[in-house]
Amino acid sequence: MGLPSKHRKKFISHKKRWDKKTIVDEAVLVSDYALKNKNEIRKIEALISKYKSIAKSFNKSAQTKESDEAKKFINKLKLNGFLSTEAQSLDDVLDINVRNILDRRLSNILYRNKLARTPKQARQFIVHCHVGIEGQCITSPSYLVSLAEEPLVAFISNSSLVDEQHPERVNAAGGMVEVEEMEQIPLKNKRNTFDDKETKLDEEEVVEEDE
C-alpha cells in the first residue's frame, strides 16, 4: 500500500473546470510566476481555504475573536507576508488571494530583488542549486519566504553567480534584457514561392532550347 503520506491529495479540484475566464486567469498566473503547471495554483487555493476556515472558526464568537490564539494566527500570517502589517482583524484573512501567496515564493523574491532577469530564469537558478537562504541551499521554487528570511535570500557561496560581474548578474541588475531585433527578410507565401521557382525553371529551359 505504501506510505499514506505519499498518496495524500495536496490540492483541491477547481469548481469551474471549463470556465473560460478561469482558464485565462490561471494562464496569466502561470506565465507571471513561471509555475510548473496549474496544480501549483490548486495547492495555493487549498492553503488559502485552510486559512479562511481557521479565521471563520475564530470569528464565531466574541471570545474566540479576541483570543490570544486568534491574535497569534494573524501575527503568523503577517510574519509570513500573506497579510499587510496594517491588518488587525480576522476579516482581513478572508481577503487573501492567490497572488498574495505567490508573491512570497522564492522564485518571485529572487526576481523581485533583481537577481534574475525573468521569473523563469529565477526558477532555473533555484532548481540548479544556485540559491539559498542564510547559506542553506534551497531547490524548491515554491518555497514560501517569510519577511525575516527575505533579506537572507542570496546565491550560495560555491555558485558561479556569486560574482557580481557574472554576465547574468549584470543583465539582471539592469532589468529585463530585450532581445535584439533580427532583420526580418520579407517572406512570400508558399504559392508565390512555388510560382517563382517554376518560372525560373521555365526560363532556364528556354535558354537551353535557344542554345
Side-chain angles (χ1 to χ4, degrees), residues 12 43-56 96:
I12 56 177
K43 294 178 182 179
I44 298 296
E45 290 176 344
L47 182 62
I48 294 174
S49 178
K50 175 184 175 182
Y51 289 151
K52 289 184 178 181
S53 297
I54 295 174
K56 290 176 182 177
I96 296 177

Side-chain angles (χ1 to χ4, degrees), residues 3-19:
L3 294 174
S5 61
K6 297 295 183 181
H7 299 278
R8 185 174 57 193
K9 189 176 181 180
K10 297 182 179 179
F11 60 90
I12 56 177
S13 300
H14 208 286
K15 295 180 181 178
K16 298 181 180 180
R17 190 182 296 268
W18 304 113
D19 182 60

Side-chain angles (χ1 to χ4, degrees), residues 1-198:
M1 187 176 86
L3 294 174
S5 61
K6 297 295 183 181
H7 299 278
R8 185 174 57 193
K9 189 176 181 180
K10 297 182 179 179
F11 60 90
I12 56 177
S13 300
H14 208 286
K15 295 180 181 178
K16 298 181 180 180
R17 190 182 296 268
W18 304 113
D19 182 60
K20 181 179 180 180
K21 185 179 183 301
T22 302
I23 294 173
V24 173
D25 291 344
E26 290 180 348
V28 173
L29 289 175
V30 171
S31 176
D32 289 348
Y33 294 93
L35 304 180
K36 183 178 180 181
N37 50 47
K38 292 184 179 181
N39 282 344
E40 296 197 49
I41 301 177
R42 301 284 88 77
K43 294 178 182 179
I44 298 296
E45 290 176 344
L47 182 62
I48 294 174
S49 178
K50 175 184 175 182
Y51 289 151
K52 289 184 178 181
S53 297
I54 295 174
K56 290 176 182 177
S57 65
F58 283 130
N59 213 13
K60 286 183 178 179
S61 63
Q63 293 180 349
T64 57
K65 188 175 182 179
E66 300 297 333
S67 64
D68 293 337
E69 289 78 7
K71 294 178 181 178
K72 288 180 181 179
F73 174 65
I74 294 175
N75 289 332
K76 179 182 177 181
L77 295 181
K78 286 183 181 180
L79 294 174
N80 289 335
F82 303 152
L83 283 177
S84 63
T85 54
E86 292 81 11
Q88 297 295 333
S89 66
L90 293 167
D91 295 335
D92 296 323
V93 179
L94 303 178
D95 294 331
I96 296 177
N97 55 43
V98 175
R99 284 188 178 271
N100 295 141
I101 308 295
L102 291 176
D103 285 340
R104 304 308 308 171
R105 285 168 56 95
L106 179 59
S107 59
N108 189 67
I109 297 295
L110 196 71
Y111 171 64
R112 195 168 62 191
N113 291 345
K114 294 186 177 181
L115 296 177
R117 290 181 291 174
T118 63
K120 187 174 181 179
Q121 188 184 54
R123 184 185 185 94
Q124 183 183 34
F125 286 164
I126 296 168
V127 173
H128 290 184
C129 305
H130 288 289
V131 183
I133 296 178
E134 204 172 5
Q136 183 177 0
C137 181
I138 297 179
T139 58
S140 175
S142 62
Y143 178 84
L144 298 177
V145 182
S146 64
L147 294 179
E149 293 175 332
E150 186 172 351
L152 305 176
V153 174
F155 295 111
I156 58 177
S157 58
N158 60 350
S159 171
S160 59
L161 293 169
V162 173
D163 184 10
E164 293 184 358
Q165 299 304 318
H166 192 282
E168 296 298 333
R169 290 287 302 276
V170 174
N171 292 336
M176 295 287 292
V177 177
E178 295 182 359
V179 180
E180 296 181 0
E181 295 183 358
M182 299 179 62
E183 294 182 359
Q184 296 183 356
I185 302 173
L187 300 177
K188 300 180 180 180
N189 56 36
K190 293 182 179 180
R191 180 175 299 177
N192 290 339
T193 304
F194 178 80
D195 292 340
D196 291 343
K197 289 182 179 180
E198 189 176 14

